[in-house]
Amino acid sequence: MTLAPSLASPAALFRKLERESYRTYHSRSRVHKADHFFNFCVTAHAMRDYFLEHLGKIHKRDKDPFHAEWNTEPLLVAIKDIANSSKHFQLRDRVSGERKAASTMGVRHRRSKFIEIYSDGAGKFEAIAAEGQDISVKLSDGTTLPLHEFTHGVMNYWRDYLRQHGIKIKRQSVSQLIGSAA
């Protein structure tokens, strides 16, 4: 069952991923930023299932080569670890049921400096330095990425991957992206 009409294809789920990234990045509350980040990770991890369903890959033996490829990409490993450890409280081995350590080295709240840009609508812009909540992710390869770089890296991966497999992503309007459209 899909949440019709918005989540009926890999492209539609990708557009949801963009909206989750926007919400995550622009949330000012530490709690809300964490909530939106969790939603981003769950949506990004669901891209695997949507893509495989789109291709008609429903048997484990048909899915395994894709998962093997995705499990070598540190960004997608982090997405999997964050989504599954949050959804299931604890990562466990599928066969033994024993606790399993995440490959991702860490996810941390932090404060970062930003530049806020304001426009009067008549062509005048003002840039103001600000500080706010942020999240950083330390990947399995030791790379640490701030939230914006992490979410955009994940979205770039999926955008390119879908394009390589003939799935076109239509741009959504800014009003749809930021939630001001009905």
Side-chain angles (χ1 to χ4, degrees), residues 13-27:
L13 190 67
F14 181 83
R15 288 188 298 273
K16 180 183 185 312
L17 187 63
E18 290 177 316
R19 294 189 299 273
E20 294 295 351
S21 174
Y22 180 88
R23 290 180 193 116
T24 300
Y25 185 73
H26 288 89
S27 181

Side-chain angles (χ1 to χ4, degrees), residues 97-111:
E98 295 294 318
R99 287 182 176 215
K100 182 171 97 174
S103 299
T104 303
M105 298 175 145
V107 178
R108 301 283 179 260
H109 280 280
R110 61 184 223 169
R111 296 200 55 83

Side-chain angles (χ1 to χ4, degrees), residues 175-176 179-182:
S175 61
Q176 187 69 42
S180 62

